[in-house]
Amino acid sequence: MFKYLMGELALYFSIAFLFFFLIFFVNQILLMAEELLKKRVPILQVIQLITFSLPFIIAQSAPFATLVGFLMCLGRMMSDNEILVFRATGNHYRSILFPVLVLSLIISFVSFFVNDYLLPLGTVKYNELYRDILYSNPSVELESNSIKRTDRSTLVIGTVEDRNVSEMILFDTDSKNEQRIIVAGNSTIISPKDPGVVMQLQMDDSVAVFLNPSDYLSYDYMVSDSLIMNIFAESIFPGSNGRKNPRELTALDLYRELKKMRAEQKTSKRTLNVWDLEFNMKFSLPFGSLFFAMLALPLAFLFGKHNGQTIGLIIGIVICVAYWALMILGQNFSYKIGINGFLTMWLPNFLVGIAALVFYWRLVRK
């Protein structure tokens, strides 16, 4: 029975994994590739970027595939009365729960390996290639006659031709809430030497105005024939803050960096939240498979008596959408409000775990 259950669960997991992989791949990767191809990025570089993005898609797909695949498998067995026969032989639900948990643990550890080793490796290669693309083709980020926004800055861009940008205006606010406006007639993109800087702009015939936030009638200004403006990695890859992007590090390296950043007491709370969130995501997303497996068994047996495979698919997708929404909301709250990354990343798993215990208690009592 153990081998049979493991085989069936693995089969349905594989089908569900392919389903979610294609959804995430089309929704995230192909749309990105289409945008890059429109901006005349060489197709070989686009294919490389897609390849480096695959670990992220795999890590995302595994937990959802576990829930939907296990629900469909166990629901089908319930509809076909296989579970009834198994129970009639004197076996308890725990005997079925055991292979479910074993396979979900295997999936969780494989997913953790992808998330902790292949994802950082792919992210490093992705960011290196993306920086090269930015330098050779600035229009990827700096589009003609467009506005580029980050958390604290707004960049108004004129015409972009090769590495020349005309008529740029920067509205910027620093960490002390002091505001400045920089206007340049012509700018040239030059190659940065600092790894924390994605792009450097040599701004000619520039004027910088420094505003006093408490009294806008009082201001300072500076006129320069030429000045250098750095576009830091933080503005494009959130959380880097002059360091490596947190997604470029393993869980152990992330933990060491977080410990060092807290000891220095120089890092902003927002950056700490981003790094803390990424550290917790290293574990919460892969081991979401375990929580989903615990929920799948009682749900399939309680609601899968008739058309269990179809019911399992519907219930699974609804729960996946709700779980995904909680994950996105948690990330946004952590980025913008500063809610602790552990809470926002583990809350969906804890809710799934509580629901699993409630439904399993109902199943046993039934």
Side-chain angles (χ1 to χ4, degrees):
M1 184 64 182
F2 178 83
K3 289 183 179 179
Y4 173 72
L5 266 173
M6 289 286 284
E8 288 293 300
L9 289 169
L11 173 63
Y12 278 86
F13 166 79
S14 301
I15 295 171
F17 179 83
L18 182 61
F19 170 74
F20 282 105
F21 181 87
L22 289 175
I23 288 177
F24 287 125
F25 184 79
V26 171
N27 186 49
Q28 297 181 23
I29 305 304
L30 289 189
L31 290 178
M32 175 269 293
E34 182 183 8
E35 284 297 314
L36 291 174
L37 287 171
K38 283 181 181 177
K39 294 170 183 176
R40 299 180 182 178
V41 176
I43 189 169
L44 180 59
Q45 290 184 323
V46 174
I47 292 172
Q48 287 179 301
L49 287 176
I50 291 174
T51 304
F52 298 148
S53 301
L54 290 182
F56 180 65
I57 303 300
I58 293 171
Q60 281 185 313
S61 302
F64 302 123
T66 302
L67 175 65
V68 173
F70 284 22
L71 274 171
M72 291 178 65
C73 176
L74 297 171
R76 195 273 305 166
M77 294 178 71
M78 188 70 180
S79 299
D80 293 348
N81 294 321
E82 291 184 32
I83 301 301
L84 180 63
V85 172
F86 183 73
R87 292 279 288 132
T89 59
N91 292 290
H92 194 271
Y93 288 121
R94 289 191 298 269
S95 302
I96 304 173
L97 183 61
F98 179 67
V100 168
L101 294 181
V102 168
L103 184 57
S104 67
L105 278 172
I106 294 172
I107 294 170
S108 294
F109 281 110
V110 172
S111 181
F112 177 75
F113 169 77
V114 172
N115 209 29
D116 194 46
Y117 179 74
L118 296 183
L119 178 58
L121 186 62
T123 303
V124 169
K125 297 295 184 182
Y126 180 97
N127 290 346
E128 287 177 354
L129 179 57
Y130 196 77
R131 286 185 176 94
D132 292 340
I133 291 173
L134 281 182
Y135 180 63
S136 61
N137 186 0
S139 63
V140 171
E141 283 292 331
L142 302 180
E143 299 181 43
S144 292
N145 306 312
S146 65
I147 298 175
K148 192 77 179 175
R149 290 187 177 91
T150 64
D151 284 348
R152 295 182 176 275
S153 304
T154 300
L155 187 63
V156 181
I157 305 162
T159 304
V160 180
E161 293 182 0
D162 295 326
R163 293 177 187 168
N164 296 314
V165 186
S166 65
E167 301 171 353
M168 290 188 66
I169 305 175
L170 172 71
F171 300 89
D172 184 55
T173 304
D174 63 18
S175 58
K176 297 179 181 178
N177 206 34
E178 295 179 352
Q179 298 174 342
R180 64 177 176 173
I181 302 172
I182 300 176
V183 181
N186 185 69
S187 301
T188 304
I189 299 169
I190 56 179
S191 179
K193 297 179 181 179
D194 188 337
V197 177
V198 175
M199 188 185 300
Q200 282 187 327
L201 293 169
Q202 180 177 311
M203 307 176 77
D204 300 328
D205 300 323
S206 54
V207 177
V209 180
F210 303 90
L211 302 175
N212 185 343
S214 59
D215 180 13
Y216 285 106
L217 295 177
S218 175
Y219 61 90
D220 296 318
Y221 74 95
M222 177 182 69
V223 179
S224 174
D225 291 335
S226 179
L227 64 82
I228 301 294
M229 184 179 77
N230 294 323
I231 297 180
F232 292 96
E234 171 74 6
S235 62
I236 297 175
F237 310 111
S240 54
N241 197 31
R243 302 169 184 259
K244 276 192 171 183
N245 187 302
R247 288 192 181 179
E248 297 178 359
L249 303 176
T250 64
L252 181 59
D253 292 332
L254 256 174
Y255 174 77
R256 288 171 176 167
E257 283 293 322
L258 268 170
K259 192 174 179 181
K260 188 188 301 182
M261 289 159 68
R262 290 192 175 105
E264 292 173 352
Q265 297 182 344
K266 295 179 181 178
T267 310
S268 67
K269 185 178 179 182
R270 178 186 178 277
T271 302
L272 278 174
N273 280 334
V274 173
W275 281 67
D276 192 45
L277 183 144
E278 290 291 339
F279 175 74
N280 282 283
M281 198 186 298
K282 289 280 188 184
F283 299 90
S284 64
L285 190 60
F287 287 95
S289 295
L290 178 61
F291 290 89
F292 276 144
M294 293 168 57
L295 179 63
L297 185 141
L299 281 181
F301 292 170
L302 288 170
F303 303 105
K305 189 172 182 180
H306 303 289
N307 298 319
Q309 188 168 303
T310 303
I311 295 297
L313 175 62
I314 295 171
I315 293 175
I317 290 178
V318 170
I319 294 174
C320 287
V321 170
Y323 183 93
W324 181 252
L326 280 175
M327 290 281 288
I328 297 299
L329 285 173
Q331 290 180 48
N332 288 334
F333 282 136
S334 188
Y335 286 142
K336 296 179 180 179
I337 302 177
I339 297 177
N340 183 269
F342 174 83
L343 177 63
T344 56
M345 288 297 97
W346 283 98
L347 181 61
N349 285 344
F350 291 154
L351 292 176
V352 169
I354 292 169
L357 293 175
V358 171
F359 282 115
Y360 190 78
W361 178 77
R362 282 189 57 191
L363 178 66
V364 174
R365 292 261 305 189
K366 190 174 178 182

